[in-house]
Amino acid sequence: MHQLPPQPAGRQRRHLLAVVLGFAWGLLCVGPSAIAAEKTARHTVVIQGAKFEPKTIGVKRGDTIVWVNKDPYPHTVTAPGVFDSHSIVAGGSWRYIAHKTGEFPYVCTLHPNMKGVLKVE
Ligand SMILES: [Cu+2]
């Protein structure tokens, strides 16, 4: 008659499996949401009185910048060759995802003395 294998070894193996599965599950649950939270940083630039506020804004690559036009007339957010909102109507907004790093001076093409800078790192 054979004896059953000693219990403790089997129990230990099951315990190890539970720990590994628990760790993997933890990564699945926490990992992607933590990364997503990091990617959803959002910044707002208010356009009011024919000025960009803040005039210079620094963001991380992948962040979203929303320009909100609070003036009763249209403006644009234009960095030639990089981004161009075209006309943002009174009360409207325009968003840009900063996919390119660098320093981007921009203007409003309707009021060329309106200037701002977007810095993406
Ligand atoms: Cu303007």
Side-chain angles (χ1 to χ4, degrees):
M1 264 203 130
H2 288 289
Q3 282 197 326
L4 290 168
Q7 276 290 72
R11 217 177 273 154
Q12 260 177 349
R13 203 167 297 151
R14 265 199 299 275
H15 178 70
L16 183 67
L17 186 66
V19 169
V20 168
L21 283 178
F23 185 67
W25 180 246
L27 277 182
L28 277 175
C29 293
V30 176
S33 62
I35 293 163
E38 202 180 311
K39 279 193 174 174
T40 53
R42 197 181 144 114
H43 311 264
T44 303
V45 177
V46 172
I47 308 173
Q48 197 161 27
K51 279 183 179 132
F52 296 110
E53 181 56 46
K55 188 180 164 85
T56 299
I57 188 165
V59 308
K60 295 241 190 311
R61 193 160 74 102
D63 285 0
T64 299
I65 307 97
V66 183
W67 281 265
V68 180
N69 182 10
K70 293 196 173 175
D71 275 338
Y73 45 89
H75 293 291
T76 82
V77 174
T78 309
V82 186
F83 53 80
D84 188 1
S85 67
H86 301 285
S87 186
I88 305 171
V89 297
S93 67
W94 181 72
R95 73 184 55 196
Y96 172 69
I97 296 170
H99 51 80
K100 196 173 162 185
T101 57
E103 197 170 315
F104 309 105
Y106 65 86
V107 296
C108 167
T109 56
L110 305 172
H111 313 99
N113 59 328
M114 280 178 69
K115 289 172 185 173
V117 179
L118 171 65
K119 291 179 181 179
V120 184
E121 62 168 29

